[in-house]
Amino acid sequence: MKTKTIFVCNECGYESGKWLGKCPACNNWNTFFEQKVETNNNGKNKIKTDHAKPQKLNEYEAKETLRTLTGFGELDRVLGGGLVKGSLVLLGGEPGIGKSTLILQICDKVKGEGKVLYVSGEESAEQIKLRADRLGINNEDILFLGETDIDIVNNAIVETTPKLVIIDSIQTMYSDELSAAAGSVSQVREITSQIMRICKSRNITTIIIGHVTKDGNIAGPRVLEHMVDTVLYLEGERYFTYRILRGVKNRFGSTNEIGMFEMRQEGMCEILNPSDVLISEREENPPGSCIVSCMEGTRPMLVELQALTTRDSK
């Protein structure tokens, strides 16, 4: 094994033998960081002879997209009608915003669809069980695995054959085949690729939880968002109760829809009429404000528009 040093762009994953101020692939500045990799010099690259052969597109039979309802109408709206079987969904949000709570409720609401494998690299089984008890979740089909080694996770997926897999979070997973630290560009890219291969080959729906940076973007390489089928962001102030679920990428539906939730003691509760919440504290005919109707996706919403004025000092 031979160790060498390369520089990798944190935005797009472009690799270079030297440090560059500007990435030639994505044109972003100051995104390169140093990374050590191990290479095997035994043998040369071989051409595989046993591979799939090209087939005429007209000969393929397009099957109807199968979906699983999540039990949340607001979430199904953003997804385009539910979770597509065999799809890869990335859910991002700030710490404490309610990602794990929402995911755990989804695991309970898909009861009857099959086993659910919840893989956590951040929390122990006791922590997850305490949250489940607080939310009133008692589902025998939910399996928990506290592990960060992707090889052990893959073996658990093969052995349990679940219908839904939760990875919490992608930045904590690592592979022994790479010498880079967990959460690095190469680790995230390789782990996501492995999860995608094993789950799509077995038609297993997978939800990956990812952290966000201070800029509000998914932490890690931008290539992660390109690999998955759907990217969702859970937004809101962590000290307030209302949350907005927004889709920024969806291969199976529109990205114009949003879903509204409220964080309560019993968990995330969907808001079926956002207009009522947005104008509930409005006084009757206050000066300088009016009600405006705007469209968010296919749903009209009423919001309050204010025009604030002040006296001139002259």
Side-chain angles (χ1 to χ4, degrees):
M1 301 294 291
K2 182 180 179 181
T3 303
K4 68 176 182 178
T5 300
I6 63 174
F7 294 87
V8 184
C9 175
N10 194 38
E11 291 291 330
C12 65
Y14 181 84
E15 298 180 358
S16 173
K18 60 181 181 179
W19 187 87
L20 300 175
K22 182 180 180 181
C23 178
C26 62
N27 296 325
N28 286 316
W29 291 88
N30 298 324
T31 57
F32 279 88
F33 66 95
E34 184 178 356
Q35 179 178 317
K36 293 183 179 180
V37 296
E38 294 181 354
T39 58
N40 192 348
N41 296 329
N42 295 330
K44 300 179 180 180
N45 294 334
K46 298 180 180 180
I47 301 177
K48 295 183 179 180
T49 57
D50 185 14
H51 56 81
K53 296 181 180 180
Q55 185 178 351
K56 292 182 179 179
L57 182 62
N58 292 336
E59 296 179 357
Y60 284 94
E61 182 180 355
K63 299 180 181 179
E64 183 180 356
T65 302
L66 300 178
R67 295 180 182 266
T68 301
L69 297 179
T70 63
F72 289 106
E74 292 293 294
L75 178 56
D76 292 336
R77 175 196 297 272
V78 178
L79 292 171
L83 289 168
V84 177
K85 293 187 177 181
S87 63
L88 208 61
V89 180
L90 175 62
L91 175 62
E94 296 179 354
I97 203 69
K99 303 184 300 295
S100 299
T101 300
L102 178 62
I103 291 300
L104 195 57
Q105 290 179 270
I106 294 174
C107 294
D108 182 55
K109 288 183 178 294
V110 296
K111 184 184 300 184
E113 295 292 334
K115 295 179 182 179
V116 178
L117 180 60
Y118 194 111
V119 181
S120 177
E122 300 179 344
E123 296 180 290
S124 63
E126 290 77 11
Q127 292 174 304
I128 300 296
K129 187 60 170 64
L130 286 174
R131 182 183 295 118
D133 292 340
R134 177 174 58 86
L135 300 175
I137 295 176
N138 185 16
N139 188 350
E140 296 292 337
D141 291 334
I142 300 179
L143 307 176
F144 177 81
L145 176 64
E147 187 56 58
T148 57
D149 191 337
I150 191 61
D151 294 330
I152 299 178
V153 174
N154 289 338
N155 292 333
I157 294 175
V158 174
E159 293 175 0
T160 58
T161 62
K163 295 298 182 182
L164 176 63
V165 173
I166 308 297
I167 305 294
D168 186 10
S169 67
I170 189 64
Q171 282 85 8
T172 61
M173 300 294 157
Y174 74 94
S175 175
D176 289 333
E177 297 179 359
L178 302 176
S179 59
S184 62
V185 173
S186 56
Q187 285 281 4
V188 171
R189 181 172 53 190
E190 175 63 22
I191 290 170
T192 305
S193 178
Q194 290 189 29
I195 294 174
M196 182 174 61
R197 286 196 302 268
I198 190 172
C199 290
K200 284 188 176 295
S201 63
R202 289 168 170 80
N203 202 27
I204 300 174
T205 306
T206 308
I207 301 179
I208 298 175
I209 298 179
H211 298 301
V212 297
T213 62
K214 60 182 180 180
D215 298 327
N217 298 320
I218 298 290
R222 213 51 192 270
V223 69
L224 175 61
E225 299 186 15
H226 300 319
M227 297 175 67
V228 300
D229 298 312
T230 305
V231 180
L232 305 177
Y233 279 91
L234 190 61
E235 305 170 352
E237 297 291 337
R238 60 181 304 181
Y239 299 108
F240 291 89
T241 59
Y242 298 117
R243 305 285 189 266
I244 295 179
L245 185 66
R246 190 183 307 274
V248 298
K249 175 186 177 181
N250 193 353
R251 290 173 177 166
F252 309 105
S254 173
T255 57
N256 295 323
E257 301 287 355
I258 66 169
M260 289 197 64
F261 295 85
E262 182 179 3
M263 176 66 81
R264 300 176 183 172
Q265 183 177 0
E266 59 270 21
M268 299 285 281
C269 301
E270 53 185 344
I271 300 176
L272 301 179
N273 187 9
S275 300
D276 185 38
V277 174
L278 295 175
I279 62 176
S280 59
E281 299 180 358
R282 182 176 184 269
E283 301 177 359
E284 184 177 357
N285 297 324
S289 68
C290 63
I291 301 298
V292 179
S293 177
C294 62
M295 292 293 294
E296 283 289 348
T298 59
R299 178 170 55 180
M301 299 177 62
L302 299 178
V303 297
E304 181 181 4
L305 181 64
Q306 295 181 346
L308 304 179
T309 60
T310 182
R311 292 182 179 275
D312 193 355
S313 60
K314 295 182 180 180

